[in-house]
């Protein structure tokens, strides 16, 4: 195992959240032990495929080095639970909700079991009949929004007793009669605090917005039109509420299903809690992220090192599927059918800084496409190699990959995993790796961050510190200014070239955030978790433009 190079913040977060503790709450595991524990556990899956003890030990070393070098880290439940009692390793789950009380409360029970393991859940509430609709046995229903509040309250109680925080995604289709109540539900403070909410909007709805037409609201119980509504008014209301407090988001549900790899198994109706992982009912996915900052050597990307990391990471994530103890039997059944994994990235902004490329530039977009195309290609090759050794995912014949598959020497090119790539938010693992999160620009050059445990993590960008020293600009006065501002854009003593490279999220125009996401999305099988940072003087029209541009860019 390479010598660990962990920041103070990384050690703090590992001690509070990930390392084993005894029954008195005392930490009894070192960071090196954590990586060894996870590597040893995940390598054991090779035994299922007839690997020898020697081969399994070799895999263990490979996985241990992969994590200890911080070249790659898996999602938090894997780091936390692998080799321990829970052994639930996936980050993302989607659960179905049918229009009856038994289904609603079975799903609530199932979600509680999942949250207890530190994973997030997504739900689409659109099958529930609207508020005031008749219930044959007992009068009238209270509607989907009221049931979301019950789910939220249950999550809150589990969160209070857990180590990792469960979170939810709540989705309602734009043609549901209660869509207006749903859009405005978070306009009051402290409502649905454990939910991200998103309206599922269709291409047909966007077309009605563009043409200023009405569209139909449909009762999901009767399938009948109950009202015609102005598409433009609803779209404006979504944008107003998003401007007010960041919710609701929008989910382009037609676009998602355009890339559903197994349409014969059903339509995708929901994503996980952060929106990056569209999944079928009961499906789950485990994620992991490559540290792109580590791929830069002497101002160039070491593609050979990156390739090696990708192939090891795909092997690791496929093994996680076999080692995971799923909370529900329904989870295991669908996961084994499709074997979806999500390899993503973190440290992208740090990579650009090291290469001397501005985030909000055409060169930045080109580099994003180049790097993700490479990752996607190598991830597919690695999955193909695993399929040769272990077989394709079992629903292969009914998948789009079977139709797209080319023949090579009379044989189908098979894949082990129905999806290979996802870009997650990497909120905590990027702190462990001490890099920028996901594909976000630098958040701020200096800031203090409060953890869920109430600890404060102080941060100053290490690449900027290096650049200031190199340019003979490092002084207490400048550091104090940066600490106060979090940005260097209004500092005349800093050269323009450094200002361009060290632009933070709030320095970057909103359209660059969206264009960057689109550049990556072109080569990502699943979704991307990405924040668009707006200046304080942004208005509702700016939010509308963001949603429209996102749809236009696919």
């Amino acid at each position: 195992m390479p010598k660990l190079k962990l920041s103070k913040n990384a050690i703090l977060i590992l001690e509070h959240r990930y390392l084993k503790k005894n029954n008195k709450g005392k930490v009894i595991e070192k960071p090196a032990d954590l990586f060894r524990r996870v590597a040893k556990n995940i390598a054991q899956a090779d035994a299922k495929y007839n690997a020898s003890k020697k081969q399994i030990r070799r895999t263990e070393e490979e996985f241990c080095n992969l994590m200890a070098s911080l070249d790659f880290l898996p999602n938090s439940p894997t780091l936390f639970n692998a080799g321990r009692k829970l052994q639930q390793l996936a980050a993302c789950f989607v659960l179905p909700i049918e229009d009856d009380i038994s289904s609603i409360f079975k799903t609530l029970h199932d979600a509680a079991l999942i949250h207890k393991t530190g994973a997030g859940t997504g739900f689409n509430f659109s099958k529930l009949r609207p508020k005031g609709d008749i219930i044959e046995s007992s009068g009238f229903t209270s509607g989907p929004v009221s049931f979301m509040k019950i789910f939220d309250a249950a999550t809150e109680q589990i969160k209070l007793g857990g180590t990792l925080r469960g979170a939810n995604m709540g989705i309602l289709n734009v043609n549901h009669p209660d869509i207006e109540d749903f859009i405005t539900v978070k306009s009051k403070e402290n409502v649905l605090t454990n939910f991200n909410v998103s309206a599922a909007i269709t291409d047909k709805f966007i077309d009605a917005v563009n043409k200023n037409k009405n569209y139909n609201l449909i009762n999901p119980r009767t399938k009948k039109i109950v009202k015609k509504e102005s598409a433009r008014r609803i779209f404006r209301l979504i944008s107003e509420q998003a401007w007010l407090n960041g919710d609701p988001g929008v989910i382009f549900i037609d676009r998602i299903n355009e890339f559903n790899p197994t349409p014969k198994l059903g339509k995708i109706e929901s994503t996980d809690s952060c929106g990056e992982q569209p999944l079928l009912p009961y499906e789950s996915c485990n994620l992991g992220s490559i540290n792109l900052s580590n791929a830069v050597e002497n101002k160039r990307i070491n593609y050979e090192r990156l390739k090696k990391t990708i192939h090891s990471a795909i092997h690791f994530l496929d093994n996680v599927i076999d080692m995971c103890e799923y909370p529900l039997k329904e989870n295991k059944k669908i996961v084994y059918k499709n074997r979806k994994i999500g390899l993503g990235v973190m440290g992208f902004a740090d990579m650009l800084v090291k290469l001397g490329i501005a985030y909000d530039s055409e060169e930045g977009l080109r580099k994003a496409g180049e790097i993700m195309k490479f990752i996607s290609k190598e991830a597919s090759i690695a999955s193909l190699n695993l399929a040769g050794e272990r077989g394709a995912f079992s629903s292969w014949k009914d998948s789009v990959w079977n139709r797209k598959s080319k023949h090579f020497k009379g044989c189908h090119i098979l894949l082990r995993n129905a999806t290979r790539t996802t870009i997650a938010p990497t909120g905590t693992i990027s702190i462990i790796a001490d890099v920028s999160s996901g594909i976000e620009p630098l958040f701020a050059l200096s800031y203090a961050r409060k953890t869920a445990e109430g600890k404060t993590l102080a941060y100053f960008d290490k690449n900027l510190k290096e650049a200031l020293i190199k340019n003979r600009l490092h002084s207490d006065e400048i550091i104090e200014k940066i600490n106060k501002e979090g940005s260097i854009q209004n500092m005349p003593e800093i050269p323009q070239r450094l200002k361009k490279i060290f632009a933070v999220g709030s320095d970057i125009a909103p359209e660059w955030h969206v264009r960057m996401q689109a550049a990556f999305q072109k080569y990502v099988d699943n979704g991307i978790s990405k924040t668009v940072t707006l200046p304080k003087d942004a208005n509702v029209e700016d939010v509308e433009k963001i949603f429209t541009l996102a749809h236009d860019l696919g």
Side-chain angles (χ1 to χ4, degrees):
M1 185 194 290
K3 191 183 176 190
L4 290 183
K5 293 176 184 172
L6 296 170
S7 68
K8 283 181 185 175
N9 288 342
I11 291 165
L12 190 70
I13 209 101
L14 286 168
E15 285 175 350
H16 278 280
R17 212 173 285 183
Y18 295 90
L19 301 180
K20 275 187 190 175
K21 295 180 178 75
N22 64 19
N23 54 12
K24 290 178 182 173
K26 190 180 178 228
V27 173
I28 54 168
E29 187 178 50
K30 290 177 180 157
D33 302 330
L34 177 146
F35 294 133
R36 177 63 63 189
R37 161 172 61 79
V38 175
K40 190 180 182 70
N41 182 265
I42 303 305
Q44 292 306 311
D46 284 11
K48 187 178 171 182
Y49 306 103
N50 304 316
S52 66
K53 285 181 180 177
K54 189 179 176 184
Q55 285 169 318
I56 292 166
R57 277 198 301 274
R58 201 182 301 138
T59 298
E60 181 189 325
E61 283 308 314
E62 181 188 331
F63 290 168
C64 202
N65 292 339
L66 187 65
M67 291 180 287
S69 62
L70 304 175
D71 283 353
F72 163 88
L73 289 173
N75 53 221
S76 288
T78 301
L79 288 175
F80 189 78
N81 294 329
R84 293 171 77 175
K85 189 180 172 185
L86 274 174
Q87 197 59 33
Q88 196 296 102
L89 311 175
C92 312
F93 289 79
V94 160
L95 296 174
I97 303 178
E98 300 300 325
D99 187 34
D100 67 75
I101 209 78
S102 298
S103 171
I104 293 165
F105 282 93
K106 180 190 182 299
T107 299
L108 181 62
H109 164 265
D110 293 347
L113 293 179
I114 290 166
H115 287 164
K116 197 175 77 170
T117 71
T121 44
F123 318 90
N124 189 318
F125 289 86
S126 301
K127 287 178 183 172
L128 303 191
R129 63 193 76 184
K131 184 172 70 178
D133 198 37
I134 195 162
I135 301 172
E136 289 79 359
S137 58
S138 59
F140 302 94
T141 181
S142 54
V145 172
S146 67
F147 285 109
M148 287 177 73
K149 290 174 181 175
I150 296 170
F151 277 63
D152 185 65
T155 307
E156 183 66 27
Q157 296 316 305
I158 293 160
K159 184 178 84 180
L160 292 173
T163 311
L164 293 170
R165 190 183 164 197
N168 304 301
M169 170 65 82
I171 292 171
L172 200 72
N173 295 351
V174 76
N175 62 1
H176 193 283
D178 288 359
I179 189 65
E180 197 163 334
D181 286 349
F182 176 83
I183 291 165
T184 57
V185 67
K186 291 181 87 170
S187 54
K188 296 187 186 83
E189 279 188 33
N190 300 319
V191 177
L192 298 184
T193 54
N194 301 295
F195 266 93
N196 290 319
V197 295
S198 282
I201 64 179
T202 58
D203 292 342
K204 201 173 175 182
F205 173 79
I206 291 286
D207 190 52
V209 172
N210 292 337
K211 291 174 179 172
N212 197 14
K213 286 186 171 181
N214 291 341
Y215 77 106
N216 300 329
L217 298 184
I218 297 165
N219 184 324
R221 177 179 66 86
T222 63
K223 307 290 186 284
K224 288 180 178 171
I225 298 165
V226 295
K227 189 184 173 186
K228 285 196 179 292
E229 183 57 85
S230 161
R232 196 165 280 182
R233 189 183 81 80
I234 292 297
F235 187 62
R236 179 73 180 187
L237 190 63
I238 290 169
S239 302
E240 283 170 356
Q241 290 300 313
W243 174 86
L244 186 69
N245 58 19
D247 265 317
V250 295
I251 282 180
F252 303 126
I253 203 70
D254 291 341
R255 184 69 172 159
I256 282 173
N257 277 291
E258 203 182 314
F259 292 89
N260 177 1
T262 56
K264 287 188 180 176
L265 295 181
K267 276 184 80 172
I268 292 172
E269 295 173 343
S270 183
T271 72
D272 70 315
S273 53
C274 291
E276 77 271 19
Q277 191 63 50
L279 294 166
L280 293 167
Y282 288 113
E283 210 168 18
S284 78
C285 190
N286 74 87
L287 314 175
S289 299
I290 287 170
N291 179 355
L292 290 179
S293 181
N294 276 11
V296 182
E297 293 171 14
N298 302 319
K299 297 190 175 181
R300 297 184 72 165
I301 293 166
N302 183 337
Y303 277 103
E304 208 44 53
R305 178 177 177 174
L306 187 56
K307 179 180 173 179
K308 193 179 168 193
T309 300
I310 295 162
H311 284 250
S312 291
I314 294 292
H315 181 185
F316 183 105
L317 295 173
D318 190 65
N319 277 20
V320 168
I321 292 171
D322 295 313
M323 294 308 296
C324 181
E325 291 288 336
Y326 296 93
L328 312 167
K329 62 181 187 300
E330 295 98 329
N331 297 142
K332 187 173 181 178
K333 188 179 175 186
I334 188 77
V335 169
Y336 274 53
K337 266 188 176 177
N338 295 333
R339 300 192 73 88
K340 286 182 181 174
I341 56 174
L343 180 63
V345 299
M346 56 185 167
F348 172 67
D350 294 311
M351 182 197 87
L352 291 182
V353 165
K354 287 181 176 181
L355 295 172
I357 298 171
Y359 187 96
D360 52 345
S361 67
E362 295 297 335
E363 197 182 353
L365 297 180
R366 272 197 304 276
K367 190 53 71 177
E370 177 191 307
I371 204 96
M372 201 62 223
K373 186 179 182 181
F374 181 83
I375 291 168
S376 181
K377 181 188 169 190
E378 290 302 329
S380 293
I381 291 168
S383 184
L384 185 150
N385 291 342
L386 281 176
E389 298 163 16
R390 302 177 172 188
F393 61 95
S394 65
S395 64
W396 165 265
K397 281 185 181 174
D398 291 330
S399 76
V400 297
W401 301 117
N402 186 25
R403 292 203 306 273
K404 288 177 181 176
S405 158
K406 293 171 185 167
H407 283 75
F408 178 71
K409 293 183 180 175
C411 302
H412 267 310
I413 295 175
L414 305 173
L415 288 165
R416 177 69 174 161
N417 315 95
T419 65
R420 280 83 52 212
T421 49
T422 303
I423 294 177
T426 72
T428 316
I429 62 167
S430 62
I431 298 173
I432 297 169
D434 194 24
V435 292
S436 55
S437 58
I439 61 163
E440 303 291 358
L442 302 171
F443 171 69
L445 299 172
S446 174
Y447 60 92
R449 173 178 180 152
K450 267 236 161 59
T451 69
E453 298 81 14
K455 294 283 175 186
T456 300
L457 306 181
Y459 175 87
F460 192 94
D461 191 279
K462 59 182 185 288
N463 293 318
L464 176 62
K465 187 179 177 181
E466 203 177 286
L468 291 173
I469 292 167
K470 193 177 172 185
N471 288 272
R472 297 180 181 176
L473 290 164
H474 193 272
S475 69
D476 292 345
E477 189 189 352
I478 279 191
I479 298 300
E480 200 177 316
K481 264 191 184 179
I482 296 167
N483 286 341
K484 194 178 171 188
E485 296 285 325
S487 167
I488 56 172
Q489 299 308 309
N490 298 321
M491 295 174 64
E493 59 270 60
I494 305 275
Q496 195 59 36
R497 60 188 168 77
L498 288 186
K499 285 181 182 178
K500 279 199 77 62
I501 292 164
F502 286 98
V504 300
S506 53
D507 299 327
I508 291 166
E511 59 266 26
W512 284 104
H513 286 270
V514 183
R515 289 181 71 196
M516 185 58 81
Q517 183 161 345
F520 271 95
Q521 186 67 77
K522 195 174 175 184
Y523 302 105
V524 175
D525 298 330
N526 297 298
I528 294 171
S529 182
K530 169 87 187 73
T531 303
V532 178
T533 313
L534 289 163
K536 285 179 182 175
D537 61 355
N539 56 32
V540 176
E541 285 74 23
D542 293 324
V543 178
E544 281 189 339
K545 282 177 194 165
I546 289 163
F547 288 152
T548 305
L549 180 62
H551 184 267
D552 292 347
L553 293 176

